[in-house]
Structures are given as C-alpha cells and as structure tokens.
C-alpha cells in the first residue's frame, strides 16, 4: 500500500467512456501528453464482443457483465428529503457502465442532436407563455449555448460515430424525409437511415395516417460499411438484437472502443491506465487550482498523478460525486436554495405502450438495432402549443426495437392482469412476444428545487468514501406531460388496427420506483450555464471555481430532454475541447469572466 | 468478417446433442441443494412453468440444474450487489434492503416454506397435488407470509426470476434443455444475424433456434 507520485502530465482525464475518449483524442491532437484513468477493466470488442460467446442474454442483461460493479460503489436513493435514503443494492432502474468504453460500450446507439428550443428552454417558455407559466419550484434554465454554436460539433461527432439517418434540411434546403421538426444541418448524416423493422414500419404508416410526422431515428449503428473521420472501420449492422448491454460483435454500433480508442492507443502522447479508481481531484491551498488527481491502482497503492489540466469525464453522477468529494464548487443546499453542485438533478420520463396485432402477424421482436426505429416529434420540445396544456416539456414517441430476447420476454410476461407464471402466463407471454409492438413515450423530466444530489451521511463505498445520495421523485408537471403524450399514442394504435393495447403511463402521485428498469439517462447535478449562482460550470463546461477543471457529461444538462443524451454529451465534449484548444491552452484561466 | 463466418457455420451445424442431454439431465447431482431442498425446487419450478400444450415445463428444461449451477457463481454469493451494512428497511419502491444473498434466500426460503407447508398440510410440499402447490405459491407471491426474517415474497421473486432465466437462457448455463424454452416462444437464440429478415414483414421467422455451442432445434 505504497504512496506513489507519478511524473506530471499536461492533462489527466477521469473516465474512459465517450466523454473521456473524445477529450483525450482532442487534447493529444493539440500536442498534450494525456493520461486517462478508468476505474474498471480494459475492454475491447475483440475480447468482450466475440461471437458467439457474447450472444448470452443471461450474462449481458441479467448478470450485467459490462456494467458498474455495485459491490464496490453505489448510490443511495429516496423520494424526498424527509425520508432516509437507502442503498441502490441491485441493478434495476438504471444501469451505469464500468470499464474502458463506459456506458458507451453497452449503450444502444440512439444518437440525437439536442432540439434548439431545449437549449434555451427557460427563455423560450417565458417568451411564449410568460414567466408565470413556470411552476413554483421548477428550476428551468438555459444551457448558455445555442444550437448554431453547437452545430459543427454535432456534425463532427456524427462523422466519428458513423451515424445513420435521413436529414430533413441541410443548409436550409429540404433534402429528404427526415424529422420536419429537426433544425437545419450543415451536412447529411454520414450514412443512410437503417431499414425499418416491421413494427416500426406499421408505426410509421399509422402515425402518418393520423397526421403526425414520422421519421427514421438517427442511430450510431452503421447502416453500411463506414470508415470514420479517424480512419477506423465499422461493419454494417445485421440487426442481431444484441446492442444494449453488449459489445457489438459486428463493429457496427459506435463505441469509444471501436471508433476512437484504436487510434488513441497508438499515440505515444496517450496513456490509458485501467483499474485506476480516482478518489479525488487535488486542489492547491487557494482551492482555485487543481494540482492533479489521486487514485487507487489495482495493487491498492495510492497514486498521485500531477497534471496541469484535469478533465472529469466519468458518468453523470460520478462526476457530481467526484466534485463533492474534491470540494470543487459550492454544494447545493435545497433549503437555502444556494450552491450549485448537486443542483438540478434530473432523470428521463419513459413509459412503454404495447399493442397486440392479429395472431397471423409476426413482429419478430428479436430482430433489432439499438438506435434504429421510427419516431414522431409532434409532442416533443416546443413543437406544440403548451399554453392550453399547462405543462413544460415534451416527449418524442417511437418504436425503437433494440431486440427483445427470451429472458426479458419471459420476465415481462403478458398484458397487465395476467399471471406472472403458470400456464396462463405461458400462453399470454408467447402471444405477446410473437405478435406485439412496443412504443415508448420518451419524455423530458424537469429540474426542481427539492430534487438533488448530495453525499449520504451513512453508507460508504469500498474505499471508505460516502456514497452519493439521490433525492428524486416524479412531479405533477412531468406526470401530466407523460399522460397527455400517451393519450396521443391511442390515435396511432387505432390506426394500426391493434386488437388490444396496454398504455404505459405515469399515474397521478406516482413515486419513483428503483426496482424496475426505466432508463440510464440520468442528467444534471453539475450543470452548465451563464450564471455561477445557478450553474457549476460555465458554457465551456469549465468549473466556475477551479478553472483548470473541466467536467464533461450529461451532468451539464440543466434539465432533462426528450432525447437520449449521448449525442449531446459528445457534442459538448467537442465544443469544450475546441475552446480549450483554441483559447484556454494559450492563456490558461477562466474562459468566462464574471 | 469473423462474426459473419461464425454465424454461417452455426446455421449449418446439426449436432446430435439430444441423446447426450437426456443422460446428463438424469445424472445431474446438485452441488448446493440438499436432497429435500432439491425435491422442493423441482415441485415448485414444475408449477411456475408447467408442462402443457404450449411447450415444455421447467423440469424438462433443466431449470433446477440451472439454479443449482448458478449457486456457485459470484451472483449467488451477492458479489453483484451492494451489500454494505447497515441494512435498514424502507418503502418497497426503494428496493431490496435485506442482508441475504441468493444462496441465503434459497436456504432460508426453502426451509421456511417447508415448515409452513408441514404445519398447514402435514406433508412436504413436493407430496402435494399441483392445485394445492399453486395455492401455496400464490400465497408466497402476494401474501404476508414470513419465514422468520425473510418475507416469503422475496423468496418467491428470487425463485421466479431464476426459473425464467433457467428456462430461457442459453443452454450453456444448464437450463433450456433441447432449446425447448426458445422454441416455445419462437426465439432463434444465438443466430444473431437478421440482415435478410428485417423487411420480410409479418412473416414468421423460418429458421430454427441455435445455441452458443452450436446445438440446434
């Protein structure tokens, strides 16, 4: 158990997922020596995704082979601050990653750009409906960055990820049958859209028939062979259905392991250290500069890695945890409504509707691609008039058939009300599996004053450090939004000719339940913004308090959004890196003066 | 690509595995469960997934063997769970808060269930008829029965989850014998290549199922 001090480097990056890999690539391109620290094991598609051994649902989705090791570190959760938060002991509601590639290895591949209005949501709602429209206690904020500013970085990320999709407008000209609500792009998607699976094709036809605007979901699952902007090759997706929870054996799903690290690993300026668990970012006596990070290595030695620049780029809540443990930024106090680290913690508001088709029709739900599908955005973002509805936020609706496999089908069973075992279960389960179509309302979740992250007073991780505590519950605004959008789905299922439908929707006064998978799209907690009183990071994702610390991830979202977060995280990483490269490195210090 | 070549090879594989499987099933000796526990496990799994016109049941699918084999994995020792004390009870929606690993849950659960059944029916669970076993299991699933410090519903949920996993996971783990779980629902297993089937809309997938080891059905 030695104490070791390493030779100083230009930059240390905490976390080996998308954010960390993008930042390490950009910083080595800028000539910096970069060390990346990943607490989990090294992983590659060749070892973790080898066919056929990797095509194992028990290991992938139920023993969580490539997910976070909860035995070492977890979080505690409660619905409100009068409760005692209890440990999240078993993986269920959300599934954070671990190991090189992070959540970017086990994700599905849905790859969106953030809707422009979502980036300026407070301003937009205020302008359209007046400030009084914002419910009491809702911390609605702008990101401090606009779509036009981010557009080149969305484009850059798509060309790294090999994203498949169909544009609606490029440079203001209508060019295809893409999402009519999507903002204009500077270029087409790198690859054409993936084919629709059957359920998605039925959904497309029915949605169009009732007047909605269906489009092919943008997917970082390659629809054809592709060589990305770093020269790395991807294979065409074969719809195997093993995306979410797996390393893609076809090299079709974008991951840091496939799309960035093969190049980065050959760069002499880059060093990856796996099984390196970062304990804290070290600050100097002024608390305004970081001197490096301290981590535990696989031998149990405590290692100090000095660095001029510290990039915190782990998963959303790990970033917030590390800031709290390191004393970077003022911790949020919900009573005084002061402080910023832990503030505006949000989730995503997803419910699933199932439609049963005629028994002669086989939907083959085992065929799937993680990011592909058909969506409509008529009730997402500010694409519809919220005035008479009285809620903030929205929800895309989609068929995103990522491949439903046998154990998942058996455990989810038949329609609600049918038994979960025995002959009645068996009959209903088989019917459901063979002939149904599942649709998600993939909604936003707003930020509230009494929903936040802080350090737990009781439970510790394997390193003796306090667990992060989540205080989270569903709120009336978000429940009403979900119920409104799910109500619209009824029009589509009628047009599909479904023989039966179960509408998955939030119930009034429903509490967040940690026991069922909902989504891993956690966000906020260390948000970006223009005001240091309500944001932990400036618009370049630089800590307001410690200027040589940048914090990259979905933690930066001031409130939830209807889309999956990875596209935005990647764009923010490239955006931040660009400003580090062009401005910060020439004259290190705050990029925004208060 | 290597993956495509592998898929093609699996597609044409026809291994004469069925005979070997039935021998293996009859000769399996549990490593974790005692003989009385083993009898309980069979009698319970048999009701959770019964043999019927829809397809084979949990016993033919080797579910007890699957569960017994799982008991030697890190999962069964609670190594995949956060198991730091203190253990404090709370509302159900905040999730599992007991100090018991899956091994503990089976050991305490089967003992508790047998004691409950003997007190009420004067016999072992496995000696009861199917309808009575169903009533007992329903009581464990939804009722307030406790086996000392273990709620019966926790034991039931553990058993049900592992039974489903055993019937529908790859046979490499000891269950899903003869790929019978997969053929029941029409799941093609490890084929994992549907490039040509994405847009064959509405038709039933015609190819049989295949396992990781190349077994077909």
């Amino acid at each position: 158990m030695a104490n070791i001090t390493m030779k100083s480097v230009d930059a240390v990056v905490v976390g080996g997922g998308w954010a960390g890999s993008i930042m390490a690539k950009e910083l080595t391109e800028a000539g910096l020596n970069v060390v990346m620290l990943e607490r989990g094991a090294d992983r590659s598609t060749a070892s973790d995704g080898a066919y056929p051994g990797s095509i194992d649902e028990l290991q992938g989705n139920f023993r969580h082979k490539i997910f976070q090791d909860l035995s070492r570190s977890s979080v505690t959760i409660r619905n409100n601050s009068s409760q005692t938060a209890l440990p999240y002991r078993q993986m269920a509601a959300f599934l954070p990653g671990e190991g090189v590639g992070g959540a970017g290895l086990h994700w599905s591949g849905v790859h969106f750009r953030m809707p422009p209005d979502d980036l300026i949501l407070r301003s937009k709602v205020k302008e359209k409906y007046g400030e009084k429209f914002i419910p009491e206690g809702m911390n609605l904020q702008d990101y401090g960055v606009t779509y036009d500013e981010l557009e080149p970085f969305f484009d850059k990320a798509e060309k790294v990820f090999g994203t498949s999709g169909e544009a609606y407008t490029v440079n203001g000209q209508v060019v295809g049958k893409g999402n009519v609500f999507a903002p204009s792009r500077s270029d087409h998607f790198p690859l054409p859209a993936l084919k629709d699976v059957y359920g998605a094709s039925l959904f497309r036809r029915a949605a169009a028939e009732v007047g909605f605007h269906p489009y092919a979901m943008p997917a970082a699952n390659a629809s054809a062979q592709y060589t990305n902007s770093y020269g790395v090759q991807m294979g065409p997706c074969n719809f195997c259905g093993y995306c979410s929870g797996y390393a893609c054996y076809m090299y079709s799903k974008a991951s840091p392991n496939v799309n960035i690290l093969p190049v980065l690993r050959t760069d002499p300026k880059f060093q990856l250290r796996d099984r390196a668990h970062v304990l804290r970012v070290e600050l100097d006596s002024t608390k305004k500069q970081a001197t490096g990070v301290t981590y535990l290595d696989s031998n149990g030695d405590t290692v100090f890695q000095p660095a001029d620049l510290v990039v915190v780029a782990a998963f959303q809540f790990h970033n917030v945890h590390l800031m709290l443990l390191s004393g970077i930024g003022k911790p949020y106090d919900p009573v005084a409504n002061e402080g910023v680290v832990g503030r505006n913690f949000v989730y995503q508001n997803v419910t699933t509707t199932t439609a049963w088709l005629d028994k002669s029709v086989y939907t083959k739900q085992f065929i799937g691609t993680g990011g592909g599908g058909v969506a409509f955005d008529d009730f997402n973002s500010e694409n519809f008039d919220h005035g008479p509805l009285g809620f903030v936020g929205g929800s895309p609706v989609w068929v995103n058939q990522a491949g439903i496999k046998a154990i998942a089908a058996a455990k989810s069973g038949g329609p609600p009300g049918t038994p979960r075992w025995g002959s009645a279960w068996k009959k209903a389960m088989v019917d459901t599996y063979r002939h149904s179509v599942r649709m998600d309302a993939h909604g936003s979740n707003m930020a509230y004053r009494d929903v936040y992250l802080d350090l737990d007073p009781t439970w510790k991780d394997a390193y003796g450090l306090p667990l992060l505590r989540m205080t989270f519950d569903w709120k009336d605004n978000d429940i009403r939004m979900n119920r409104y959008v799910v109500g619209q789905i009824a029009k589509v299922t009628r047009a599909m000719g479904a023989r039966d439908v179960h509408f998955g929707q939030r119930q009034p006064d429903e509490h967040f339940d940690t026991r069922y998978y909902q989504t891993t799209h956690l966000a906020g907690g260390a948000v970006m913004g223009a005001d240091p009183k309500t944001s932990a990071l400036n618009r370049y994702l630089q800590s307001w308090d410690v200027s040589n610390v940048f914090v990259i991830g979905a933690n930066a979202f001031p409130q939830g959004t209807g889309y999956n977060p990875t596209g935005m995280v990647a764009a923010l990483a490239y955006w931040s890196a660009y400003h580090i490269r062009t401005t910060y490195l020439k004259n290190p210090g705050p990029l925004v003066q208060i | 690509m290597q993956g495509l070549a592998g898929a093609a090879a699996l597609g044409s594989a026809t291994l004469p595995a069925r005979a070997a499987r039935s021998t293996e099933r009859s000769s399996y000796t549990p490593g974790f469960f005692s003989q009385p526990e083993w009898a309980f496990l069979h009698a319970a799994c048999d009701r959770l997934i019964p043999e019927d016109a829809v397809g084979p049941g949990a016993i033919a699918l080797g579910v007890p063997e699957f569960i017994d084999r799982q008991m030697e994995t890190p999962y069964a020792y609670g190594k995949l769970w956060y198991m730091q004390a203190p253990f404090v009870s709370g509302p159900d929606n905040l999730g599992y808060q007991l100090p018991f690993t899956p091994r503990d849950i089976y050991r305490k659960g089967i003992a508790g269930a047998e004691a409950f059944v003997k007190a009420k029916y004067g016999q072992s669970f496995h000696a009861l008829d199917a309808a009575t076993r169903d009533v007992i299991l329903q009581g464990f699933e939804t009722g307030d029965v406790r086996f000392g410090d273990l709620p019966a519903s926790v034991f039931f949920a553990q058993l049900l989850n592992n039974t489903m996993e055993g019937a529908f996971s790859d046979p490499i783990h000891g269950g899903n014998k003869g790929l019978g779980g997969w053929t029941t629902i029409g799941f093609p297993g490890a084929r994992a290549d549907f490039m040509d089937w994405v847009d064959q809309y509405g038709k039933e997938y015609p190819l049989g199922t295949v396992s990781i080891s190349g077994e077909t059905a």
Side-chain angles (χ1 to χ4, degrees):
Chain A
M1 304 284 192
N3 285 306
I4 299 168
T5 297
M6 307 297 281
K7 185 167 164 286
S8 185
V9 294
D10 299 321
V12 64
V13 173
V14 181
W18 276 122
S21 300
I22 289 170
M23 295 303 287
K25 181 74 179 76
E26 287 281 311
L27 295 177
T28 52
E29 279 181 20
L32 271 57
N33 286 304
V34 178
V35 166
M36 179 194 274
L37 302 172
E38 165 55 47
R39 67 182 173 162
D42 199 358
R43 296 190 196 281
S44 73
T45 298
S47 57
D48 289 275
Y51 181 88
S54 67
I55 305 301
D56 184 342
E57 188 191 10
L58 183 73
Q59 287 299 325
N61 290 115
F62 293 94
R63 299 294 178 264
H64 303 122
K65 186 181 145 200
I66 60 172
F67 293 90
Q68 182 175 337
D69 179 358
L70 280 195
S71 74
R72 303 198 69 76
S73 181
S74 187
V75 294
T76 64
I77 307 177
R78 58 183 177 176
N79 292 132
N80 61 67
S81 56
S82 71
Q83 286 181 315
T84 300
L86 296 175
Y88 181 62
R89 295 189 181 275
Q90 302 173 336
M91 287 281 228
F94 49 86
L95 306 170
E98 188 165 299
V100 170
L105 185 60
H106 74 67
W107 74 315
S108 300
V110 177
H111 188 188
F112 275 105
R113 299 178 168 202
M114 189 70 87
D117 287 344
D118 280 16
L119 294 169
I120 51 165
L121 197 56
R122 183 179 184 86
S123 304
K124 198 77 191 175
V125 167
K126 211 171 131 183
E127 170 200 315
K128 282 176 82 172
Y129 316 113
E131 190 151 19
K132 284 192 179 136
F133 193 80
I134 302 169
E136 175 76 28
M138 184 189 284
N139 286 345
L140 198 61
Q141 293 179 208
D142 294 351
Y143 280 67
V145 62
T146 64
Y147 174 79
D148 288 342
E149 289 176 307
L150 287 180
E151 201 285 335
F153 305 100
F154 284 122
D155 181 68
K156 184 169 181 169
E158 287 166 1
K159 286 169 177 162
V160 171
F161 284 48
T163 304
S164 305
E166 181 167 8
Y168 178 62
T169 45
V170 171
N171 294 320
Q173 301 296 309
V174 175
V175 294
K177 292 180 294 205
N179 181 10
V180 299
F181 298 104
S184 186
R185 310 162 50 88
S186 58
D187 201 353
H188 291 267
F189 284 95
L191 288 170
L194 291 151
K195 287 178 180 174
D196 294 349
V197 300
Y198 185 44
S201 78
L202 294 171
F203 178 81
R204 182 191 288 275
R205 198 167 61 203
E209 202 176 300
V210 299
F212 301 152
H213 298 82
Y215 63 92
M217 292 170 67
N221 312 82
S223 60
Q225 263 189 6
Y226 183 67
T227 301
N228 83 357
S229 46
Y230 297 142
V232 183
Q233 294 184 345
M234 300 173 78
C237 172
N238 70 355
F239 291 77
C240 80
Y242 291 82
C243 300
S244 189
Y246 303 82
C248 170
Y249 85 88
M250 289 293 290
Y251 294 77
S252 310
K253 180 180 76 177
S255 64
N257 315 63
V258 166
N259 297 58
I260 300 176
L261 288 164
V263 180
L264 204 43
R265 285 177 196 267
T266 64
D267 190 324
K269 295 188 295 299
F270 174 75
Q271 197 190 349
L272 167 65
R273 293 181 204 145
D274 65 331
R275 300 182 190 278
H277 185 98
V278 175
L279 300 170
R280 64 192 165 273
V281 178
E282 302 288 358
L283 304 181
D284 72 5
S285 57
T286 68
K287 306 289 178 198
K288 299 214 173 292
Q289 281 292 297
T291 57
V293 305
T294 296
Y295 66 92
L296 277 177
D297 70 11
S298 54
N299 300 322
D301 292 332
T302 303
V303 183
F304 175 53
Q305 175 60 66
D308 295 335
L309 177 62
V310 175
V311 177
V312 177
F315 192 72
Q316 172 261 342
F317 65 77
H318 300 313
N319 284 350
V320 179
H321 193 214
L322 196 56
M323 290 178 81
L324 290 169
L325 293 174
S326 308
I328 299 170
K330 189 175 175 186
Y332 176 61
D333 174 351
V335 178
N337 201 19
E338 284 174 1
V340 288
V341 183
R343 189 176 186 278
N344 283 31
F345 168 53
V346 294
Y347 197 27
Q348 197 154 43
N349 193 5
V350 183
T351 61
T352 301
T353 289
T354 306
W356 283 263
L357 306 179
D358 189 86
K359 290 195 184 181
S360 65
V361 175
Y362 289 85
T363 52
K364 297 189 284 288
Q365 295 190 84
F366 49 82
I367 297 180
T369 181
V374 171
F376 61 81
D377 266 23
D378 299 70
F379 307 100
N380 190 26
S381 190
E382 280 299 321
N383 303 343
F384 60 114
D385 183 8
H386 291 67
L389 302 170
F391 58 74
V392 178
S395 178
V397 177
W398 57 53
V399 172
N400 168 222
Q401 187 170 298
I404 299 173
K405 296 171 279 292
I407 304 172
K411 288 192 181 185
S412 58
T418 50
R420 294 164 62 225
W421 51 278
S423 283
W425 155 80
K426 211 165 161 186
K427 197 161 172 292
M429 184 269 294
V430 170
D431 174 39
T432 299
Y433 188 59
R434 290 184 171 174
H435 309 295
S436 65
V437 176
R438 290 169 213 252
M439 290 148 271
D440 298 323
H442 201 269
S444 61
N445 169 230
M446 292 298 122
Y448 299 90
R449 180 173 165 174
D450 56 359
V451 172
Y452 59 99
L453 300 170
D454 63 357
L455 294 176
D456 190 87
T458 306
W459 282 276
K460 306 254 190 295
D461 63 18
Y463 317 99
L465 299 169
L467 296 189
L468 189 72
R469 176 168 67 178
M470 297 178 169
T471 303
F472 178 84
D473 212 350
W474 301 116
K475 298 283 189 176
D476 177 64
N477 173 84
D478 301 69
I479 291 169
R480 286 189 295 111
M481 184 280 289
N482 167 267
R483 293 178 70 84
Y484 172 74
V485 176
V486 173
Q488 302 300 317
I489 297 176
K491 297 176 188 166
V492 179
T493 55
R494 269 198 298 276
M496 281 171 101
R499 67 182 146 97
D500 195 9
V501 186
H502 168 68
F503 292 100
Q505 61 188 334
R506 299 232 172 275
Q507 300 306 312
D509 302 318
E510 177 179 336
H511 294 295
F512 170 54
D513 194 321
T514 67
R515 296 171 296 175
Y516 308 105
Y517 184 73
Q518 291 164 59
T519 172
T520 306
H521 305 155
L522 299 145
V527 314
M528 60 193 295
D531 181 354
K533 287 197 177 62
T534 56
S535 59
L537 312 173
N538 67 24
R539 68 196 296 260
Y540 306 109
L541 293 96
Q542 179 182 37
S543 163
W544 286 110
D545 300 86
V546 184
S547 65
N548 63 337
V549 171
F550 288 76
V551 183
I552 317 293
N555 56 273
F557 302 3
Q559 58 265 331
T561 170
Y563 288 155
N564 309 49
T566 302
M568 180 62 176
V569 170
L572 286 177
Y574 281 116
W575 155 262
S576 177
Y578 175 82
H579 291 281
I580 293 172
R581 291 177 68 169
T582 55
T583 308
Y584 176 86
L585 291 176
K586 289 174 187 152
N587 182 20
L591 288 169
V592 178
Q593 299 299 332
I594 307 165
Chain B
M1 295 199 51
Q2 194 188 351
L4 280 176
L10 277 178
S12 61
T14 47
L15 299 180
R18 210 166 283 270
R21 273 196 314 274
S22 57
T23 329
E24 188 191 8
R25 181 158 75 239
S26 59
S27 65
Y28 183 78
T29 309
F32 172 77
F33 293 104
S34 68
Q35 279 307 322
E37 288 173 333
W38 193 234
F40 176 92
L41 193 63
H42 277 75
C45 290
D46 179 49
R47 298 316 305 154
L48 297 180
I49 308 182
E51 186 101 29
D52 59 20
V54 178
I59 304 308
L61 293 172
V63 168
E65 177 185 333
F66 166 86
I67 296 176
D68 187 68
R69 284 169 57 168
Q70 282 293 301
M71 291 301 104
E72 283 310 319
T73 63
Y75 157 75
Y77 287 88
K79 303 282 187 200
L80 273 52
W81 298 350
Y82 177 82
M83 292 297 273
Q84 300 292 321
F87 290 89
V88 177
S89 64
D92 288 348
N93 69 309
L94 296 185
Y96 184 75
Q97 298 297 334
L98 296 172
F100 309 129
T101 67
R103 287 170 68 97
D104 301 332
I105 293 169
Y106 277 107
R107 203 112 279 162
K108 285 169 171 284
I110 296 177
E114 281 293 2
F116 174 89
V117 170
K118 283 206 178 97
K120 193 158 176 184
Y121 298 92
Q123 306 187 60
S124 279
F125 181 76
H126 73 268
L128 298 169
D129 62 48
T132 310
R133 281 182 279 151
D134 282 355
V135 169
I136 293 167
L137 291 172
Q138 277 158 12
F140 292 166
E141 181 181 23
T142 56
D144 295 327
V145 181
R146 292 187 68 89
F147 307 140
D149 47 10
L150 177 72
S153 59
V154 171
F155 167 60
F156 180 87
Q158 180 74 40
L159 180 62
L160 182 63
N161 265 318
N162 292 153
T163 298
M164 295 304 173
E165 290 167 359
F168 296 99
S169 58
D170 192 279
I172 203 168
H173 301 293
N176 192 14
K177 301 274 187 205
L179 309 176
W182 289 351
T183 51
T184 298
I185 63 169
F187 179 68
R191 283 198 180 273
D193 176 12
F194 305 111
M195 190 82 102
D196 301 328
W197 284 93
V198 180
D199 48 4
Q200 304 237 16
Y201 290 161
K203 291 182 200 159
E204 189 167 14
Y205 183 72
L207 303 180
T209 185
V210 60
S211 78
I212 288 172
S213 67
E215 183 185 346
T216 57

